Amino acid sequence: MERWGLRAVKRGERETDDGFHDVLADTPPARRWMDILLVPGLALAGTVIAGAAAGLFVVAGALLRGLSGNEILFLIETWRSSTAFLYGVQIAFYAASVAAAAFLLRWRGYRMRRIYFRPLHPLFLGAAIATGVILSALVMVLLLALPPETQQQLMEQNDLLTPKGMGEAVTLFAIAVVLAPVAEEIYFRGIVLGVLGRSMPFAVAAGLSAAFFSLSHGHLFNAAGAGGWVLTGGIFVLGGVLAIAARRAGSLRASIAVHASYNFCLFVPSLVSLLPGGHT
């Protein structure tokens, strides 16, 4: 049975890995099973280090202001429960994830641009953006069909991710529409799907990576009932579409475009609510 990303290649011949990368057949593979754990592990370590450094900065500032021990503890607890801290953790984790993936590729003699980011035809890019818009519209229709109490529960659970001002809106936009699509596509489609696709048919690899992608968002565990299932199911379908887009285009630019447009459309209602007259 033909498997995605795997074929017999003579020594010195160049393989395309179904368009996903173009490397010498007698060099080590760009992606390995260990990367599925190694990349998030390195990203988590980097996030902890960044958080510790930020915490030390806060403590140092408090000491310079002459605050007492109890006041410093209260300040740290307030900081940890703030939106700024949540956004900072997300930025640090996504940035560290991309850095870890790039480091591992470079360590093996590859460049991320060559492996994942081949040029994309403008028509394919437009189709990818339109696909993300359509998928987000379908998810929003399903969410609006939920009972009002379920919708309210989802809104309360996502309160910290709802911007309260334009500054927070710009930061959230950068996270949701830029950082998250790039980092998550490199990991879920670039690494997870790429590794699974070497040992199983593409449909199976795409389904498994989509399931992992949807469960990692935590909606099924944080939002009990129909709301969690709708969000998780929507993300699972999105993950499958992202896998197909990446494979058909031979570039993560396609799946990033779908992902970014999907997130942007879900972000628009929060942005509109900040405009004059936007609050209901």
Side-chain angles (χ1 to χ4, degrees), residues 129 132-133 136 140 173 176-178 181 257-271:
I129 293 173
V133 172
S136 64
M140 284 189 282
F173 177 87
V177 184
V178 181
V258 176
H259 198 155
S261 63
Y262 176 91
N263 284 3
F264 174 76
C265 290
L266 295 182
F267 172 76
V268 167
S270 297
L271 181 62

Side-chain angles (χ1 to χ4, degrees), residues 88-173:
V89 168
Q90 291 181 316
I91 292 172
F93 183 81
Y94 284 134
S97 178
V98 174
F103 171 78
L104 291 175
L105 285 176
R106 194 64 179 174
W107 181 267
R108 295 163 188 159
Y110 303 105
R111 292 183 179 180
M112 183 173 287
R113 179 184 177 88
R114 181 185 179 190
I115 300 299
Y116 294 138
F117 298 112
R118 287 187 168 187
L120 194 63
H121 193 282
L123 291 179
F124 208 120
L125 178 62
I129 293 173
T131 300
V133 172
I134 294 171
L135 287 175
S136 64
L138 292 175
V139 170
M140 284 189 282
V141 168
L142 290 175
L143 290 175
L144 290 174
L146 293 173
E149 58 272 16
T150 302
Q151 295 183 37
Q152 182 63 31
Q153 180 187 29
L154 294 176
M155 291 177 61
E156 292 174 354
Q157 290 174 341
N158 292 321
D159 182 62
L160 275 178
L161 293 177
T162 302
K164 307 300 189 299
M166 291 307 298
E168 290 186 5
V170 171
T171 304
L172 185 58
F173 177 87

Side-chain angles (χ1 to χ4, degrees), residues 19-141:
F20 228 65
H21 66 258
D22 180 23
V23 296
L24 289 174
D26 57 348
T27 55
R31 296 159 288 185
R32 301 179 183 179
W33 281 98
M34 69 178 69
D35 295 350
I36 295 177
L37 294 178
L38 197 55
V39 168
L42 290 173
L44 181 60
T47 304
V48 170
I49 292 173
L56 289 175
F57 180 80
V58 171
V59 171
L63 290 174
L64 290 175
R65 291 161 53 189
L67 298 182
S68 65
N70 289 335
E71 289 174 327
I72 292 176
L73 290 176
F74 177 77
L75 179 64
I76 292 176
E77 188 61 31
T78 302
W79 170 65
R80 289 179 55 189
S81 60
S82 67
T83 303
F85 178 79
L86 177 62
Y87 287 174
V89 168
Q90 291 181 316
I91 292 172
F93 183 81
Y94 284 134
S97 178
V98 174
F103 171 78
L104 291 175
L105 285 176
R106 194 64 179 174
W107 181 267
R108 295 163 188 159
Y110 303 105
R111 292 183 179 180
M112 183 173 287
R113 179 184 177 88
R114 181 185 179 190
I115 300 299
Y116 294 138
F117 298 112
R118 287 187 168 187
L120 194 63
H121 193 282
L123 291 179
F124 208 120
L125 178 62
I129 293 173
T131 300
V133 172
I134 294 171
L135 287 175
S136 64
L138 292 175
V139 170
M140 284 189 282
V141 168

